[in-house]
Amino acid sequence: MSLVVSYLPLVVLSFLALGFAPLAWFVSRFIRPKRPTAWQDKTYECGSEPIGQARVQFRFQYYSFGIIFVVFDLVATFLLIWAVAFSELTLTAKLWAILFLSILFLGVVYALKKEEVVWI
């Protein structure tokens, strides 16, 4: 069997996968309703009428919690990967892992200092 014939299903599937999203977007432009109503222009908020302004100022505390969550999520992911392959890691790889974790730890300390609460 030739190389072209053996990879033909993969090529066809790749074209279908890459073409599906643009095709679906293009087709949806033609089948959607073109008459907007006042009901469609209203803000939807959990099935009830929105009260007050839509623009609300959030405290920095919420952003710092988000940053800390991302940092710990990355740490957990990389620690799991490194724990699986720890015995095969070289000394250089272990030092890079320690450097990476140190930088993430400094990011957490910075975020907590920005909030003026440090437990360290």
Side-chain angles (χ1 to χ4, degrees):
M1 200 182 315
S2 73
L3 188 65
V4 174
V5 174
S6 63
Y7 279 105
L8 187 62
L10 182 65
V11 170
V12 170
L13 185 64
S14 298
F15 276 120
L16 287 174
L18 291 173
F20 180 75
L23 181 66
W25 177 80
F26 189 70
V27 169
S28 71
R29 308 256 313 156
F30 290 113
I31 63 173
R32 69 180 181 191
K34 294 182 175 32
R35 290 172 281 131
T37 63
W39 179 75
Q40 289 174 334
D41 290 336
K42 287 176 73 173
T43 304
Y44 180 75
E45 188 174 309
C46 300
S48 62
E49 293 290 325
I51 300 170
Q53 284 281 18
R55 290 186 162 265
V56 179
Q57 292 289 328
F58 289 103
R59 293 181 54 202
F60 178 77
Q61 176 184 10
Y62 301 118
Y63 296 114
S64 66
F65 288 152
I67 290 170
I68 292 171
F69 170 76
V70 169
V71 167
F72 281 115
D73 195 33
L74 283 172
V75 167
T77 303
F78 281 106
L79 280 179
L80 181 65
I81 293 169
W82 284 324
V84 169
F86 191 77
S87 61
E88 287 92 29
L89 290 179
T90 63
L91 180 63
T92 307
K94 290 177 184 176
L95 290 175
W96 278 109
I98 291 170
L99 177 69
F100 177 76
L101 292 174
S102 302
I103 291 171
L104 290 179
F105 180 73
L106 288 174
V108 170
V109 170
Y110 173 76
L112 290 175
K113 276 195 174 204
K114 196 81 163 165
E115 191 59 36
E116 296 179 5
V117 176
V118 177
W119 298 293
I120 299 169

